[in-house]
Amino acid sequence: MSAVAVGPGTFVELHYTLRAARGAVLERTRDAGEPLGFVWGEGEMVPGVEAALEGAQEGDVIQVEVPAEDAYGPRSERDVFAVERSEFPDPGAVALGDEFIAEGDDGAELAMRVTELHPEHVIVDANHPYAGMDLEFTLEVLAVRQVT
């Protein structure tokens, strides 16, 4: 039986280390203790990582630089805005760095972080924390199998 290569219809399990381009480690799946599993081609991983994995097999180790546009996209100042404190369940308890999920105008879930505190409102940032960053991934392919 030949090894299964990453491509359409495959489930991939891997460990990864994510770094800012030529910088510090941002995430490491080994720190969480569990590898990451996903169906390739379903948009569960950033496009640059999916592209780098295509054709890989169990045991492969891949290092790839992913520009911001192929990772979490560019940073958008439109996604930094004010929210009235009265919109929160406990307006006085809102703290710098709090993260929450809100419903966007289109009904989609929107993750936000509080970046500034003011008496009547707070400033939130709905950009992904790594938006606008070029990233480096080290991908260790642990398993590749056909989706069942």
Side-chain angles (χ1 to χ4, degrees), residues 2 12 15 17-19 22 27 31 42 46 50 64 66 69 74 80 100 106 114 117 119 127 129 133 141 143-144:
S2 63
V12 181
H15 274 300
T17 299
L18 169 61
R19 291 180 173 79
R22 296 175 222 0
E27 294 179 14
D31 292 345
E42 295 292 317
V46 298
E50 282 206 340
V64 61
V66 180
E69 55 272 9
V80 178
F100 58 95
D106 61 358
V114 175
L117 299 171
N127 285 290
M133 295 175 67
V141 181
V144 181

Side-chain angles (χ1 to χ4, degrees), residues 83-104:
V83 175
E84 295 299 316
R85 280 185 178 264
S86 61
E87 297 289 320
F88 293 90
D90 186 355
V94 178
L96 198 60
D98 281 356
E99 295 182 357
F100 58 95
I101 304 292
E103 188 173 308

Side-chain angles (χ1 to χ4, degrees), residues 5-112:
V6 175
T10 59
F11 179 83
V12 181
E13 191 172 87
L14 57 79
H15 274 300
Y16 71 84
T17 299
L18 169 61
R19 291 180 173 79
R22 296 175 222 0
V25 171
L26 301 172
E27 294 179 14
R28 205 181 326 228
T29 54
R30 288 196 186 279
D31 292 345
E34 293 290 323
L36 176 69
F38 64 97
V39 177
W40 187 89
E42 295 292 317
E44 298 174 45
M45 287 293 289
V46 298
V49 168
E50 282 206 340
L53 284 169
E54 187 170 17
Q57 297 181 342
E58 182 177 322
D60 287 352
V61 176
I62 300 164
Q63 293 190 310
V64 61
E65 292 183 21
V66 180
E69 55 272 9
D70 291 330
Y72 295 97
R75 205 173 143 64
S76 170
E77 289 310 311
R78 284 189 348 224
D79 291 335
V80 178
F81 51 91
V83 175
E84 295 299 316
R85 280 185 178 264
S86 61
E87 297 289 320
F88 293 90
D90 186 355
V94 178
L96 198 60
D98 281 356
E99 295 182 357
F100 58 95
I101 304 292
E103 188 173 308
D105 294 337
D106 61 358
E109 286 188 350
L110 194 58
M112 301 180 194

Side-chain angles (χ1 to χ4, degrees), residues 102-124:
E103 188 173 308
D105 294 337
D106 61 358
E109 286 188 350
L110 194 58
M112 301 180 194
R113 286 174 315 295
V114 175
T115 60
E116 292 180 33
L117 299 171
H118 299 278
E120 299 299 318
H121 69 277
V122 299
I123 303 297
V124 298

